[in-house]
């Protein structure tokens, strides 16, 4: 059953181009704006929206978490334990 959940998570990440980029680049705790610059080499609102949406989807699946949930701005995201297991399988 654990393997099934892991496979579903891998499939979920691979189905989304932006999700995969965001997830694989979240190798350390980062803010969405840092991810935008790291992935797209630009600080555009369009890219920020893509990254924010991907992070929300990944958070809903419990693959990433917010370290500082009480802050409205400057939220820092990191992979969860399950997210780390999934990233090892995708590499």
């Amino acid at each position: 059953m654990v393997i099934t959940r892991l496979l579903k998570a891998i499939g979920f990440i691979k189905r989304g181009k932006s999700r995969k980029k965001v997830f694989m680049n979240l190798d350390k705790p980062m803010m969405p704006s840092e991810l935008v610059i790291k992935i797209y080499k630009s600080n555009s609102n369009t890219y920020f929206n893509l990254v924010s949406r991907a992070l929300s989807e990944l958070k809903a699946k419990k693959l990433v978490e917010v370290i500082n949930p009480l802050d409205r701005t400057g939220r820092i995201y990191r992979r969860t334990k399950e997210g780390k297991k999934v990233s090892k399988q995708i590499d």
Side-chain angles (χ1 to χ4, degrees):
M1 181 144 172
V2 173
I3 293 173
T4 304
R5 192 170 66 225
L6 184 69
L7 292 174
K8 284 183 180 181
I10 291 168
F12 173 74
I13 291 169
K14 286 188 171 187
R15 278 194 310 270
K17 190 173 159 184
S18 294
R19 273 195 303 259
K20 186 174 180 185
K21 282 183 184 178
V22 169
F23 185 73
M24 296 312 291
N25 280 286
L26 191 63
D27 50 357
K28 62 181 181 182
M30 299 176 88
M31 294 189 310
S33 57
E34 293 172 316
L35 276 167
V36 169
I37 293 169
K38 183 176 181 181
I39 297 169
Y40 299 105
K41 311 288 189 256
S42 171
N43 199 5
S44 161
N45 280 342
T46 304
Y47 295 135
F48 188 80
N49 291 338
L50 288 172
V51 169
S52 292
R53 185 178 327 128
L55 285 169
S56 294
E57 293 169 350
L58 292 165
K59 184 178 171 222
K61 296 285 186 181
K62 299 188 184 336
L63 297 170
V64 300
E65 64 187 352
V66 180
I67 297 173
N68 53 344
L70 299 178
D71 293 343
R72 297 279 300 154
T73 58
R75 289 186 175 181
I76 300 173
Y77 290 82
R78 69 176 173 199
R79 292 180 189 155
T80 59
K81 287 182 182 178
E82 187 171 341
K84 288 177 185 176
K85 290 178 189 174
V86 171
S87 70
K88 289 178 184 174
Q89 297 297 315
I90 293 177
D91 283 345

